[in-house]
Amino acid sequence: ACSEFSQRSCEECLKNVSCLWCYTNNTCLDYPVRSILPPSSLCSLSNARWGVCWINFEALIIAIAVVAGLILVSIAVCCCYCCYCRRRSK
């Protein structure tokens, strides 16, 4: 159970992937798997840590969204470029 790691350290808590660390009260909580994001009643996103201790959940979500957006844009640009080259070569 994640609650066993409360009042210890963030690193100890996050060794278990199913745990979430909340800096507001230094508690280790079970990650709410039924919802994608932990509810603010459990812990605010700016104080929640999951996976790594050095980045908060809010920044983690933004970083993942930016990387996913860049990948989608680069795929779209490659597809458009390839279609344009095919039309030109014919």
Side-chain angles (χ1 to χ4, degrees):
C2 295
S3 58
E4 295 174 4
F5 297 104
S6 291
Q7 304 300 329
R8 290 190 187 175
S9 70
C10 177
E11 289 81 14
E12 286 183 48
C13 172
L14 297 183
K15 285 180 183 177
N16 186 348
V17 181
S18 64
C19 294
L20 173 77
W21 181 260
C22 186
Y23 267 112
T24 51
N25 50 6
N26 290 333
T27 55
C28 189
L29 309 163
D30 290 315
Y31 190 87
V33 291
R34 290 194 177 114
S35 60
I36 296 172
L37 299 175
S40 59
S41 60
L42 188 65
C43 187
S44 66
L45 291 180
S46 59
N47 289 319
R49 304 293 192 268
W50 180 73
V52 290
C53 293
W54 52 270
I55 188 168
N56 66 32
F57 210 92
E58 199 171 33
L60 186 65
I61 292 169
I62 292 169
I64 289 172
V66 166
V67 169
L70 288 174
I71 290 170
L72 289 175
V73 167
S74 62
I75 289 171
V77 167
C78 287
C79 289
C80 291
Y81 180 75
C82 289
C83 290
Y84 177 74
C85 287
R86 273 194 199 157
R87 286 186 198 160
R88 234 174 151 199
S89 65
K90 288 183 179 178

